[in-house]
Amino acid sequence: GSRMMMELLWRIGVGCIKYIGDFITPVDVQLDVSLKPLDANDYDVVHSIGETTILSYLYTNDYKEMKKQLRGVDAIVAHKHIDLSAKIAEELGVPFIPNIITTFLPDDISFFEVEMPKVELNPLSYSLTCSIQACEILKLLTGYDMPILAPDAYVVDLRHKGYLKKIKLRLKLK
């Protein structure tokens, strides 16, 4: 999922990627073909590939440390620790992409102003979500086309025709 997204960004020519990894469980190794069985029970660290610099950090619960690690990024994508990542994105003034297909811009609707849908993820839907998000990041970086902006969003639903279901994020009542 997220490692595949990182590889897609590398292949489309993104020069520097900051990757914050987690502890890898034996289940992660079974679900993610890019991981080797010996990676289980270890930390997810990714190394630079070709001309792309990959700065790999281990996830820390320390807010100040994570914010320091993310300074200077053009966008933040988070599939875990979403609330913390969204808060940091807002404070740094960069676009934020959560675990669905949409982008929260710093001067528009806040991630914290909407009700996020429950998303059922399995290896296929997660991979599709990450692939589409890589395209959304490319749109953000190049300005070639407009990314999907909140409150509009898509979720991968394998029961839906075409696998993509368009949704409108609802604003929370104040």
Side-chain angles (χ1 to χ4, degrees):
S2 56
R3 291 169 67 96
M4 179 192 67
M5 180 191 301
M6 182 203 54
E7 183 170 340
L8 288 171
L9 293 171
W10 159 64
R11 290 183 183 273
I12 59 177
V14 172
C16 182
I17 300 168
K18 291 187 178 184
Y19 182 85
I20 297 179
D22 245 340
F23 188 76
I24 301 173
T25 68
V27 173
D28 295 326
V29 172
Q30 291 175 347
L31 295 176
D32 189 339
V33 296
S34 69
L35 296 171
K36 298 176 185 81
L38 293 178
D39 289 338
N41 300 317
D42 203 355
Y43 289 97
D44 188 14
V45 176
V46 181
H47 303 285
S48 293
I49 307 169
E51 294 182 19
T52 297
T53 301
I54 299 176
L55 303 174
S56 193
Y57 304 102
L58 294 176
Y59 173 75
T60 173
N61 279 328
D62 184 340
Y63 169 79
K64 289 171 75 173
E65 181 64 23
M66 189 167 164
K67 185 174 177 182
K68 186 171 82 175
Q69 292 169 347
L70 291 172
R71 278 198 188 113
V73 298
D74 293 316
I76 294 176
V77 181
H79 298 143
K80 295 180 182 176
H81 318 292
I82 296 172
D83 288 349
L84 177 63
S85 301
K87 181 179 177 186
I88 292 171
E90 285 188 3
E91 289 180 5
L92 295 177
V94 297
F96 176 67
I97 301 172
N99 61 342
I100 61 173
I101 301 159
T102 194
T103 302
F104 291 89
L105 295 177
D107 57 350
D108 205 357
I109 295 172
S110 167
F111 171 81
F112 298 103
E113 294 175 343
V114 300
E115 294 178 17
M116 290 298 290
K118 292 274 185 193
V119 179
E120 183 182 325
L121 291 178
N122 58 56
L124 181 57
S125 65
Y126 185 59
S127 295
L128 288 170
T129 298
C130 290
S131 298
I132 296 167
Q133 286 178 330
C135 295
E136 293 297 294
I137 293 168
L138 184 59
K139 291 176 185 178
L140 271 172
L141 296 177
T142 63
Y144 179 72
D145 197 5
M146 206 56 176
I148 311 296
L149 300 176
D152 293 329
Y154 286 91
V155 292
V156 174
D157 183 347
L158 300 177
R159 299 165 301 191
H160 192 271
K161 183 180 178 183
Y163 304 123
L164 279 180
K165 182 177 173 183
K166 186 172 185 170
I167 61 171
K168 191 97 158 165
L169 300 173
R170 290 189 301 220
L171 292 175
K172 291 179 183 175
L173 297 175
K174 293 183 181 188

